[in-house]
Amino acid sequence: MADFNNDYIDDIVVTRNDSAVVYTNNGSGVFTRTGGIQLRPFVTDFTRVRSSVDLNQDGKADIVTIAGNSTGANDTTIVTAALGNGLGTVTPSDTIRITGRGLNFTVSDIDLDNDLDITIITADTRDLVIYRGDNTGTFTFETTIDLGTGSGALYGLSGGDLDRNGNIDLVAGGTGGNSIILAINQAAAGAILPEEMVVTAFDNAFLSIVDPNGLIVSDNLQSIAGSDYGRVDFNVNG
């Protein structure tokens, strides 16, 4: 979910088979298809999308998608970055091809250079594959990290600051019998501000939070007045 046409109303993006489609909301919970992209040129049985990301820092909602097959070895997984134009449509800006079953990913600033990066987890080879962003919607391969042997495939991946040093760490997991794997970011620790922030608004509030060094902490956060983080108001009734 994100505001793809900059009208301060939450829209949605959905994936199915080989496509990702944007539906804009009229404020009454009625959605109209306004744009879409092809994820890969053949049928898949698994897709996932991340919205509410701003890959080129132009204030318009972008998306990153992943498409692949959940069974079979040495399959090709395709990650697509697409930039929004603020009018309800998105245009592909880069395509990443991974050999293996990459079924999950994160979009975060792993290297603290103020550009969003993509980290993909491969289920069959048990690797983290990191691509660095350049603030234009394109990505360059950085490194592959071996997560070691285990009893099953790794499907889950999530990011967060586990050791409270200002860096994005990663948590990976999989099917029954797998251990939870913590990947701690080794970048130099940044400053932490312990203060809390409360947002009040009579309409939607859009936030861009930075730390003292100017690095993006989070972007494209949306809230309705008085709501907890993450609440969505499709019919704009508060």
Side-chain angles (χ1 to χ4, degrees):
M1 290 174 288
D3 181 10
F4 288 102
N5 57 350
N6 286 351
D7 62 354
Y8 303 102
I9 299 171
D10 292 305
D11 309 310
I12 60 175
V13 55
V14 298
T15 61
R16 182 183 180 187
N17 293 331
D18 66 343
S19 299
V21 181
V22 175
Y23 290 86
T24 54
N25 181 7
N26 70 353
S28 299
V30 178
F31 294 83
T32 302
R33 177 173 176 164
T34 56
I37 60 171
Q38 187 181 48
L39 303 183
R40 87 183 213 175
F42 43 91
V43 175
T44 66
D45 68 5
F46 185 91
T47 56
R48 187 182 297 270
V49 60
R50 305 281 191 215
S51 57
S52 293
V53 295
D54 189 358
L55 301 177
N56 57 347
Q57 298 185 34
D58 64 352
K60 300 168 185 175
D62 308 318
I63 66 172
V64 181
T65 66
I66 193 167
N69 287 307
S70 58
T71 60
N74 297 319
D75 184 32
T76 298
T77 297
I78 295 183
V79 177
T80 303
L83 302 180
N85 64 357
L87 301 174
T89 62
V90 294
T91 302
S93 59
D94 201 3
T95 300
I96 300 169
R97 288 174 169 81
I98 302 291
T99 299
R101 289 181 288 147
L103 303 182
N104 214 328
F105 68 101
T106 65
V107 181
S108 57
D109 187 9
I110 290 290
D111 55 0
L112 300 179
D113 66 350
N114 209 29
D115 300 328
L116 292 175
D117 312 307
I118 297 175
T119 303
I120 307 150
I121 190 167
T122 56
D124 44 358
T125 58
R126 300 173 60 88
D127 292 326
L128 291 176
V129 186
I130 300 175
Y131 281 78
R132 294 183 61 182
D134 64 358
N135 198 34
T136 68
T138 58
F139 298 84
T140 303
F141 172 76
E142 174 67 15
T143 188
T144 297
I145 300 173
D146 184 359
L147 295 179
T149 59
S151 58
L154 294 175
Y155 297 112
L157 183 66
S158 184
D161 186 3
L162 301 178
D163 52 0
R164 296 293 296 159
N165 69 348
N167 299 331
I168 294 294
D169 308 307
L170 299 169
V171 181
T175 54
N178 265 302
S179 299
I180 300 298
I181 299 172
L182 307 181
I184 305 300
N185 195 326
Q186 298 301 301
I192 295 294
L193 297 180
E195 291 81 3
E196 296 181 355
M197 180 181 67
V198 177
V199 177
T200 58
F202 294 100
D203 203 339
N204 297 319
F206 288 78
L207 311 176
S208 181
I209 306 172
V210 298
D211 73 5
N213 296 317
L215 300 174
I216 289 180
V217 178
S218 55
D219 218 8
N220 268 3
L221 302 181
Q222 299 184 39
S223 175
I224 60 173
S227 71
D228 293 329
Y229 171 72
R231 181 176 170 184
V232 177
D233 183 14
F234 283 127
N235 60 352
V236 196
N237 66 354

